[in-house]
């Protein structure tokens, strides 16, 4: 089911240091039906590379298991579309309008549909999840169903020989073979091709103690420095870096081929240094223990008072919290979610059922743990009826806190 990785994915160093251990966990997005078996458990441990500052999991779970029936679908929230607007403007500032676009990890095609309507074209997706490619096709988006690398790039090149923009949103952290990605980019690029890699901002993740974003699909916790190391000796370099506030902080790392001589000054600061250090990782690991303890204690205390508690948002983060805290159905009675593909299934590693969000007002629990805390404002506004009826949210990060009013 998994294998250990011995060397750094970015720079090849074998001197990796263990910095955070979440024990053995089920696969965070494997929401199985009551009748289905699950794939099992794998260690969840982060190793830090002092040479290039990349954080990476000690194991790589077989992608065929992780991605064959992938249930994560790109959020269609207003917040996500505002983000699309922003990244589209930033990319077009570099590439111009009417650029052809390939998205690596295109999921159900949500971004590509948006891109087609906002000045990109033609577009094409690459994603290993056949079920999502099927969905994308219904929206009119073609997807090459493969992990991105030279073979996938060759398939794209059959109908889009050279591509103006290659976008990889939150996908670099999912892929083990980064050299393969670079080789694929070589196949698809012309001298002015822009490559845009959006990744979570590890510095912010550490500062905000977002340990719940660490699960088996997220193999890497990138820094710009680690990408600079990765690109050493290739045809590519880091051209520009932008920061976004979405989901606790993201970086857009833009690459250009080495023929492109101008480099944006935004890269300079990252080259000088990074705030992502071994000490920061270890400090976060300790704080995460306190955060888990604070939620466990709050749930136990509320139960002792006879209160009922559910979860809100069956995100992968919810799986990490639930399993790291050892919660069972007696602790969290159910978790609500809006995603049809998740409803009727169990939270991985438990018998906690996922139910339709409408159940919140039917079952009226006293408390709902907000596992989709990254949508805090939106969720508070959307659930006025629950709050007005006396319901309360528990926000688990950075330490458990009860929120009663929008
Ligand atoms: P994400 O943080 O990975 O996007 O996952 C969020 C999960 O929470 C996803 O399964 C959808 C769910 N969700 C709700 O159930 N209700 C909501 O209002 C929002 C914003 C998300
Ligand atoms: Zn390294």
């Amino acid at each position: 089911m998994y294998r250990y990785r011995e060397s750094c994915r970015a720079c090849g160093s074998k001197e990796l240091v263990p910095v955070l251990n979440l024990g053995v966990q089920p696969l965070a997005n494997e929401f199985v039906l009551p009748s289905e078996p699950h794939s099992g458990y794998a260690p969840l441990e982060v190793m830090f590379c002092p040479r290039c500052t990349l954080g990476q999991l000690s194991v790589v779970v077989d992608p065929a298991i992780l991605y064959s029936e992938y249930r994560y679908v790109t959020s269609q929230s207003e917040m996500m579309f505002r983000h699309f607007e922003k990244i589209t403007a930033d990319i077009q500032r570099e590439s111009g309008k009417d650029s052809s676009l390939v998205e690596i990890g295109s999921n159900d095609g949500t971004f590509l549909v948006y891109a087609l309507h906002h000045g990109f074209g033609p577009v094409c997706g690459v994603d290993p999840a056949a079920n999502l490619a099927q969905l994308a096709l219904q929206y009119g988006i073609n997807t090459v169903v493969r992990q991105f690398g030279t073979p996938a790039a060759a398939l794209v090149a059959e109908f889009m020989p050279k591509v103006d923009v290659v976008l990889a949103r939150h996908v670099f952290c999912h892929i083990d073979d980064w050299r393969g990605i670079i080789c694929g980019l070589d196949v698809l690029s012309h001298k002015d091709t822009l490559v845009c890699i959006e990744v979570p901002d590890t510095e912010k993740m550490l500062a905000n103690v977002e340990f719940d974003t660490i699960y088996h699909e997220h193999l890497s916790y990138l820094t710009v420095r680690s990408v600079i190391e990765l690109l050493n000796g290739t045809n590519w370099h880091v051209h520009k870096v932008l920061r976004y506030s979405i989901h606790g902080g993201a970086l857009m790392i833009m690459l250009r081929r080495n023929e492109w001589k101008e480099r944006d000054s935004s890269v300079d600061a990252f080259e000088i240094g990074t705030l992502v250090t071994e000490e920061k990782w270890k400090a976060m690991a300790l704080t995460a223990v306190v955060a888990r303890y604070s939620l466990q204690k709050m749930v136990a205390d509320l139960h002792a008072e006879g209160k009922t508690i559910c979860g809100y948002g069956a995100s992968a983060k919810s799986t990490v919290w639930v399993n790291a805290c050892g919660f069972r159905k007696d602790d969290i009675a159910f978790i609500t979610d809006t995603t049809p593909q998740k409803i009727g299934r169990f939270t991985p590693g438990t018998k906690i059922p996922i139910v339709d969000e409408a159940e919140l007002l039917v079952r009226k629990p006293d408390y709902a743990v907000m596992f989709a805390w990254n949508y805090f404002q939106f969720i508070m506004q959307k659930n006025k009826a629950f709050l007005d009826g006396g319901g309360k949210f528990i926000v688990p990060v950075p330490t458990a806190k009860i929120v009663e009013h929008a």
Side-chain angles (χ1 to χ4, degrees):
M1 176 188 175
Y2 63 87
R3 63 179 172 76
Y4 281 90
R5 164 132 206 155
E6 307 292 344
S7 63
C8 173
R9 188 169 286 120
C11 76
S13 167
K14 293 202 161 147
E15 316 280 304
L16 306 181
V17 186
V19 284
L20 187 149
N21 195 336
L22 289 167
V24 171
Q25 291 243 7
L27 306 181
N29 275 307
E30 198 179 49
F31 296 91
V32 293
L33 289 168
S35 57
E36 284 174 342
H38 63 87
S39 305
Y41 298 81
L44 195 51
E45 182 177 32
V46 179
M47 311 293 287
F48 178 77
C49 176
R51 194 207 278 178
C52 77
T53 72
L54 183 74
Q56 56 209 308
L57 295 190
S58 61
V59 301
V60 178
V61 173
D62 182 356
I65 297 175
L66 281 179
Y67 300 111
S68 59
E69 262 292 309
Y70 203 46
R71 257 171 259 287
Y72 176 86
V73 283
T74 305
S75 159
Q76 303 260 357
S77 66
E78 204 187 303
M79 185 171 104
M80 190 53 82
F81 283 108
R82 275 203 303 274
H83 183 57
F84 286 177
E85 196 178 311
K86 209 177 277 174
I87 59 178
T88 298
D90 286 335
I91 294 171
Q92 288 179 345
R93 199 163 297 129
E94 283 287 324
S95 72
K97 282 210 165 195
D98 301 321
S99 301
S100 56
L101 171 73
V102 166
E103 187 182 11
I104 305 175
S106 47
N107 198 270
D108 65 353
T110 298
F111 178 77
L112 289 177
V113 172
Y114 181 92
L116 259 185
H117 287 103
H118 292 82
F120 285 101
V123 304
C124 172
V126 181
D127 199 293
N131 59 322
L132 295 177
Q134 202 62 39
L135 275 178
L137 197 58
Q138 288 171 21
Y139 305 144
I141 301 294
N142 279 323
T143 309
V144 169
V145 183
R146 289 191 95 118
Q147 193 75 259
F148 186 79
T150 307
L155 288 172
V156 173
E158 283 178 17
F159 48 100
M160 282 170 72
K162 295 292 172 196
V163 179
D164 300 323
V165 179
V166 180
L167 174 65
R169 298 195 51 246
H170 295 275
V171 72
F172 246 71
C173 35
H174 292 244
I175 297 180
D176 182 32
D177 178 17
W178 284 358
R179 305 273 153 198
I181 300 184
I182 305 291
C183 292
L185 292 177
D186 284 344
V187 172
L188 284 181
S189 55
H190 53 70
K191 69 176 183 24
D192 295 328
T193 295
L194 177 75
V195 175
C196 300
I197 302 171
E198 189 185 351
V199 290
D201 186 343
T202 304
E203 202 180 305
K204 293 273 163 15
M205 188 270 269
L206 294 177
N208 299 336
V209 197
E210 292 162 9
F211 77 93
D212 53 359
T213 57
I214 296 171
Y215 42 87
H216 295 109
E217 283 136 43
H218 292 167
L219 296 170
S220 301
Y221 302 85
L222 284 93
T223 59
V224 175
R225 227 181 97 191
S226 62
V227 176
I228 291 172
E229 281 284 341
L230 169 74
L231 297 178
N232 245 333
T234 71
N235 294 317
W236 300 87
H237 64 274
V238 176
H239 164 71
K240 187 174 191 174
V241 183
L242 301 170
R243 278 187 196 273
Y244 297 125
S245 59
I246 192 162
H247 293 326
L251 295 178
M252 179 68 93
I253 306 174
M254 293 180 165
L255 316 184
R256 291 280 198 186
R257 289 188 63 102
N258 292 340
E259 294 92 318
W260 189 280
K261 294 296 174 211
E262 293 156 40
R263 195 183 80 164
D264 192 83
S265 58
S266 56
V267 189
D268 301 348
F270 289 99
E271 219 173 26
I272 296 164
T274 167
L275 294 174
V276 178
T277 60
E278 183 181 328
E279 290 67 35
K280 284 264 164 65
W281 267 102
K282 287 181 171 167
M284 193 274 246
L286 265 184
T287 317
V289 174
V290 177
R292 259 143 53 205
Y293 176 72
S294 84
L295 183 63
Q296 282 168 324
K297 182 167 183 328
M298 186 175 281
V299 167
D301 289 349
L302 291 171
H303 271 300
E305 291 172 23
K307 304 291 187 201
T308 49
I309 306 173
C310 78
Y312 187 97
S315 54
K317 293 188 273 295
S318 75
T319 307
V320 178
W321 273 104
V322 164
N323 284 282
C325 291
F327 289 144
R328 294 289 169 258
K329 200 166 172 288
D330 293 342
D331 306 300
I332 304 282
F334 56 91
I335 300 183
T336 66
D337 202 278
T338 46
T339 321
Q341 291 96 326
K342 290 181 183 172
I343 294 165
R345 294 167 184 270
F346 287 141
T347 289
T350 76
K351 294 273 184 266
I352 300 174
I354 318 285
V355 303
D356 192 293
E357 196 169 84
E359 291 290 313
L360 195 64
L361 293 180
V362 178
R363 303 197 194 187
K364 296 193 171 67
D366 298 308
Y367 292 85
V369 183
M370 199 188 286
F371 290 123
W373 51 259
N374 42 326
Y375 300 97
F376 176 81
Q377 287 298 353
F378 176 72
I379 291 172
M380 291 302 283
Q381 277 159 20
K382 183 171 153 188
N383 290 283
K384 276 195 168 27
F386 171 64
L387 292 160
D388 289 347
K392 299 181 178 70
F393 279 110
I394 298 171
V395 181
V397 285
T399 50
K401 191 172 81 181
I402 294 171
V403 188
E404 303 184 27
H405 307 289

